[in-house]
Amino acid sequence: MRVGIGYDVHRLVRGRPLILGGVTIASEWGLEGHSDADVLLHAIGDALLGALALGDLGEHFPDTDPRYRGISSLKLVETVMRMVHEHAYTLCNLDSVLIAQQPRLAPYLPHIRRKLGDVLGLDQGCISVKAKTAEHLGALGRAEGIAAYAVCLMAPHHR
Ligand code: MG
């Protein structure tokens, strides 16, 4: 078995869509970034790559490459999942945490889990997404950004 960890943080700015786990969240503020800035999918992509010691998303999809401008991060994670299968591994489960002072994310979690299930090819029972505030502490607590952590477990394919 192999375990992977991922972390990401993006700044909140006015006038950008807020997309988390491939789901658009109603908000006047969105995350700044070269792609769609989906901080949860970025943490998940890094966890998947990390489990197989394949580097990180920034290495595979550099933000200097115009091909990735505004791209849906679902596409990036789809590509990473193909790499996982090419390396003869199967994803067993995924756990994740979003840290957002605002907006309130709890109502969106079921939809986000369904989206993640589609892109990761996992049952709902193997996907966990939790939402926390930052208790008004520090930059995240001032809602200057949103952060995400993800952990995944993988098993080699049976041959
Ligand atoms: Mg990112």
Side-chain angles (χ1 to χ4, degrees):
M1 306 287 260
R2 299 186 70 144
V3 67
I5 182 170
Y7 166 77
D8 199 18
V9 61
H10 281 256
R11 189 178 289 276
L12 276 168
V13 291
R14 257 187 203 285
R16 288 257 308 177
L18 178 58
I19 301 166
L20 296 172
V23 173
T24 303
I25 313 288
S27 170
E28 286 175 20
W29 297 74
L31 295 173
E32 190 172 54
H34 183 72
S35 65
D36 65 356
D38 189 326
V39 69
L40 177 58
L41 283 177
H42 292 181
I44 290 170
D46 273 0
L48 297 170
L49 290 168
L52 299 181
L54 294 174
D56 67 14
L57 282 185
E59 231 175 289
H60 292 276
F61 311 101
D63 64 6
T64 48
D65 189 329
R67 279 180 301 170
Y68 306 125
R69 181 184 295 274
I71 195 172
S72 165
S73 297
L74 287 167
K75 293 256 180 286
L76 306 183
V77 170
E78 256 169 48
T79 304
V80 171
M81 281 306 293
R82 274 200 296 278
M83 294 166 67
V84 168
H85 294 138
E86 279 162 20
H87 281 74
Y89 272 82
T90 308
L91 181 58
C92 303
N93 80 303
L94 175 108
D95 188 14
S96 61
V97 188
L98 276 161
I99 302 164
Q101 193 62 49
Q102 61 177 38
R104 207 172 98 74
L105 298 177
Y108 294 94
L109 297 184
H111 191 180
I112 290 174
R113 285 176 70 212
R114 280 198 298 278
K115 264 278 200 243
L116 294 180
D118 291 345
V119 69
L120 300 173
L122 270 185
D123 270 8
Q124 294 299 286
C126 298
I127 301 172
S128 159
V129 183
K130 307 180 294 294
K132 299 274 184 197
T133 72
E135 292 290 344
H136 299 284
L137 291 167
L140 293 176
R142 292 187 296 270
E144 292 174 14
I146 294 178
Y149 293 89
V151 176
C152 70
L153 189 69
M154 288 192 198
H157 284 171
H158 293 296
R159 291 171 192 276

